[in-house]
Amino acid sequence: MQEQLPSVIHHFTDSDAQIENQTTPTFMPELPEVETTCSGISPHITGKTIANVIVRQTQLRWPIPDNLQQLLTGLSIHNVSRRAKYILLKTNTAETVILHLGMSGSLRIVNNKQKPGKHDHVDFVFTDGTILRFNDTRKFGAILFTSEPINQHKLISQLGPEPLSDQFTGRHLHTRSKNRKATVKSFIMDGHNVVGVGNIYASESLFMAGIHPSRQAGRISLKRYQKLAECIKIVLQQAIEQGGTTLRNFVNEQGKPGYFQQSLSVYGRANEPCKHCDSTIKQIKIAQRASYFCPVCQK
Ligand SMILES: [Zn+2]
């Protein structure tokens, strides 16, 4: 099918987040929230057949395909998975619905008695009455459909390794960083190098690894990258585990699933004492993004 994507794909990046111009940091779905969403919705829709798709708002980041209902009705969901921050609903015909939560999107499971609210833009209605409902206040999310093998899709094919996979190592980061003048923070937030390290988790991982966020990516040793890769895995894994406790929010509640605000060491803590050394946490901008660090613990 013809996809209505712009000719130059502007990948989803956290540079979309003008949100940090606000004084209070706002939390948007990052990799742990997306992972939690996948495991939250999967048991409710896997194996079920789509009876209808109701689209109330077509203008998301890209227009929703106008034949989405025709394409999906009668198909069943073979499995639910995640690649970077894309949620992939693979159908029994090996086609795929690609969902992205953007800056404010959420998915929840409701039944057909629960009336849609203002920002409930799309309902995937299953034959047993289950509804997968997509809500997105700011409309930066996306819903696309493809018949292509998903790894060849242009939104997916150029992505770096998953941070929690064995392909993601300190050696991988060290090799990719050769001659890079970008800051290490921008480097780890670039999805070509590793996916899913958003602004919050970049700050947190660099703090845990003791690396200053402004340090040049090409000037960090293999040993320090090994520490950093380990810290990225720990920080993301901890967030996913905390998310597991909010799974009930995906089912039969009126509001949005509450994205979890885990206890953070540096992010959003400007002028507060460092949890390790009591120095004052500093906030700077790196590539337009609010960046938090401890000037004593991070070198
Ligand atoms: Zn400190």
Side-chain angles (χ1 to χ4, degrees):
M1 64 165 283
Q2 195 64 28
E3 280 181 279
Q4 295 158 307
L5 296 183
S7 52
V8 178
I9 288 285
H10 171 202
H11 283 270
F12 280 96
T13 65
D14 291 283
S15 60
D16 293 331
Q18 313 94 321
I19 47 176
E20 283 169 358
N21 294 330
Q22 302 166 8
T23 44
T24 315
T26 310
F27 289 82
M28 67 178 200
E30 292 213 36
L31 185 138
E33 286 83 356
V34 177
E35 177 70 25
T36 302
T37 298
C38 284
S39 44
I41 64 173
S42 178
H44 300 280
I45 63 169
T46 302
K48 290 187 183 173
T49 302
I50 298 171
N52 195 10
V53 180
I54 301 165
V55 179
R56 303 183 190 88
Q57 166 62 265
T58 58
Q59 298 304 311
L60 300 181
R61 183 187 182 95
W62 300 301
I64 293 180
D66 49 18
N67 54 349
L68 191 68
Q69 191 229 15
Q70 289 158 270
L71 289 166
L72 287 176
T73 300
L75 301 186
S76 60
I77 302 298
H78 183 67
N79 65 43
V80 178
S81 63
R82 176 188 64 73
R83 178 72 174 103
K85 295 206 294 183
Y86 296 99
I87 295 167
L88 307 172
L89 310 182
K90 192 171 178 191
T91 71
N92 58 320
T93 53
E95 295 161 302
T96 309
V97 179
I98 305 174
L99 288 147
H100 197 288
L101 301 177
M103 291 168 59
S104 59
S106 64
L107 286 164
R108 66 190 199 279
I109 303 289
V110 298
N111 62 46
N112 48 20
K113 292 183 187 67
Q114 288 171 270
K115 290 208 172 68
K118 190 177 172 198
H119 301 290
D120 289 332
H121 303 314
V122 179
D123 280 359
F124 297 87
V125 185
F126 293 88
T127 51
D128 70 345
T130 299
I131 295 173
L132 175 66
R133 183 164 281 172
F134 178 78
N135 177 290
D136 190 359
T137 319
R138 303 180 61 136
K139 297 190 288 224
F140 274 95
I143 299 178
L144 299 166
F145 181 82
T146 185
S147 313
E148 254 184 302
I150 196 64
N151 288 333
Q152 290 167 30
H153 191 276
K154 52 192 163 184
L155 287 173
I156 307 280
S157 61
Q158 303 301 314
L159 295 174
E162 286 290 325
L164 298 173
S165 72
D166 293 341
Q167 284 77 49
F168 177 63
T169 61
R171 189 167 292 281
H172 165 80
L173 285 179
H174 187 247
T175 305
R176 295 268 323 176
S177 70
K178 290 263 157 63
N179 304 319
R180 296 288 181 95
K181 295 208 165 34
T183 65
V184 62
K185 178 162 180 271
S186 300
F187 175 72
I188 59 171
M189 288 179 66
D190 178 346
H192 296 95
N193 301 324
V194 55
V195 300
V197 184
N199 200 35
I200 296 173
Y201 299 110
S203 281
E204 292 296 306
S205 306
L206 287 165
F207 173 75
M208 190 185 275
I211 298 172
H212 194 292
S214 308
R215 185 163 285 277
Q216 253 186 41
R219 302 190 62 173
I220 293 173
S221 67
L222 172 61
K223 197 167 169 231
R224 297 192 88 197
Y225 270 126
Q226 281 166 337
K227 175 79 177 161
L228 180 57
E230 191 187 314
C231 292
I232 288 172
K233 288 174 195 273
I234 292 169
V235 164
L236 290 172
Q237 193 59 50
Q238 280 175 350
I240 290 167
E241 278 160 24
Q242 273 179 302
T245 62
T246 67
L247 280 187
R248 64 185 184 281
N249 294 334
F250 286 92
V251 184
N252 290 328
E253 286 198 11
Q254 286 298 333
K256 295 168 59 165
Y259 288 124
F260 33 103
Q261 296 193 13
Q262 57 177 152
S263 56
L264 299 168
S265 296
V266 283
Y267 186 85
R269 297 192 65 243
N271 301 320
E272 290 177 38
C274 171
K275 292 177 179 179
H276 283 182
C277 74
D278 267 353
S279 302
T280 305
I281 300 297
K282 296 261 185 281
Q283 181 184 352
I284 51 172
K285 285 229 165 166
I286 297 175
Q288 268 86 61
R289 305 303 307 279
S291 307
Y292 301 87
F293 67 100
C294 170
V296 174
C297 294
Q298 294 174 258
K299 299 291 174 196

